[in-house]
Amino acid sequence: MAAAKVNTEKENQQRIDIPATLERDALFKSLKGEKTRAMMEKYLDELIPMALPVARPKGVYRISCIGARGSGWVEIDGVRFTSKVLSKSLSDIDTVFPFIVTCGKELDELPVSPQDHLRYYCLDIIKMNVLFQAMQYFLDYLKEKYALKEITHLHPGEFADWPIEQQEQLFSLFHNTEEAIGVKLSSTKTIQPIKSGSGILFSSGTSFESCQLCLQAKCPGRRAPYSPRLVKQLMG
């Protein structure tokens, strides 16, 4: 796995191009018992050969230093983030990896109209699948490159203590993300393309999943059950 350095004014900003695969069986497993399942399977079979040649998942990250910190806040490369979870989780950490990973705007540009609801929903399933795979590839890449044993990744907006508005601070750590990997922040601080993710990754030797702090029970990306004990420990 190889990453190419981006020409940027920001030191340490790195880009990684991620291979895309689309497995028919894996996509079909994400379908539930919908009455429209047969039609959705038909649309997925139609969309897979359209999506695979153009899918270009990618990511950007940097190696950042923890600076000043206090009760409920921490500075990363001079940018202040307000979060009890972050400040407690990073209390003994000196180095973190801010990151942004996307399924790629290329999939958004496929000629599928949002008004074609069922077909558009099937494309959404494909984009989510590409993003999940890209995120796992990215994590495995960082583990291998930097010899990280246990890793934790936290995401703005995933839980109340770190609101989505702090996407702005996170993006400020990077130079021209639209040029680098085709992503930008909307006026509501969500990422475009929507099937993208951002956050702070670090290794502390005692990994936990940020999902354990999240109350969204039906999230398709949930990796661990909600933990009231961990919420009290990190947010109390």
Side-chain angles (χ1 to χ4, degrees):
M1 292 183 283
K5 191 169 185 178
V6 175
N7 291 324
T8 172
E9 297 171 4
K10 295 274 190 177
E11 292 182 1
N12 296 324
Q13 183 165 312
Q14 301 283 329
R15 167 176 163 150
I16 175 171
D17 293 301
I18 300 172
T21 60
L22 288 173
E23 296 183 5
R24 184 176 184 269
D25 290 345
L27 290 168
F28 280 19
K29 282 181 181 178
S30 66
L31 302 177
K32 308 301 180 185
E34 298 100 332
K35 295 179 181 179
T36 55
R37 182 184 177 96
M39 184 61 71
M40 293 172 72
E41 289 182 358
K42 175 179 177 291
Y43 286 155
L44 283 172
D45 279 334
E46 170 193 303
L47 289 166
I48 289 170
M50 293 172 58
L52 190 55
V54 302
R56 297 290 184 274
K58 54 190 76 75
V60 65
Y61 71 94
R62 53 183 287 120
I63 305 171
S64 295
C65 296
I66 301 296
R69 64 185 96 204
S71 178
W73 61 270
V74 62
E75 288 187 358
I76 299 173
D77 284 347
V79 176
R80 180 171 292 202
F81 295 88
T82 303
S83 164
K84 291 180 181 179
V85 173
L86 268 185
S87 65
K88 290 182 179 180
S89 298
L90 303 178
S91 60
D92 298 317
I93 302 295
D94 296 319
T95 302
V96 296
F97 300 83
F99 69 88
I100 306 166
V101 173
T102 180
C103 75
K105 65 178 182 179
E106 296 81 4
L107 291 176
D108 275 1
E109 294 170 351
L110 285 174
V112 179
S113 170
Q115 279 68 50
D116 190 351
H117 300 294
L118 201 55
R119 187 178 274 107
Y120 194 78
Y121 175 65
C122 289
L123 178 59
D124 194 72
I125 290 173
I126 287 174
K127 290 190 283 190
M128 182 63 77
N129 184 269
V130 171
L131 175 60
F132 284 167
Q133 288 187 55
M135 190 66 197
Q136 188 58 56
Y137 185 97
F138 172 71
L139 295 175
D140 290 342
Y141 170 83
L142 288 188
K143 282 183 179 179
E144 179 183 330
K145 183 175 178 65
Y146 299 102
L148 306 176
K149 293 182 180 180
E150 298 288 344
I151 58 173
T152 296
H153 43 102
L154 301 175
H155 312 264
E158 191 172 21
F159 43 88
D161 178 66
W162 197 17
I164 196 169
E165 287 77 14
Q166 292 200 29
Q167 289 276 32
E168 191 166 8
Q169 287 95 314
L170 182 62
F171 267 65
S172 75
L173 294 171
F174 296 96
H175 174 67
N176 201 339
T177 57
E178 190 167 10
E179 179 181 319
I181 57 172
V183 303
K184 61 182 179 180
L185 277 183
S186 72
S187 59
T188 58
K189 310 309 177 190
T190 56
I191 308 177
Q192 301 293 332
I194 195 68
K195 292 301 182 287
S196 304
S198 66
I200 304 292
L201 183 148
F202 56 94
S203 178
S204 64
T206 56
S207 178
F208 70 89
E209 292 287 358
S210 55
C211 294
Q212 293 175 273
L213 309 174
C214 177
L215 285 168
Q216 189 178 345
K218 295 184 178 181
C219 174
R222 179 168 285 281
R223 304 176 300 277
Y226 177 73
S227 171
R229 178 194 60 80
L230 192 61
V231 169
K232 184 177 181 180
Q233 176 187 333
L234 293 178
M235 296 188 188

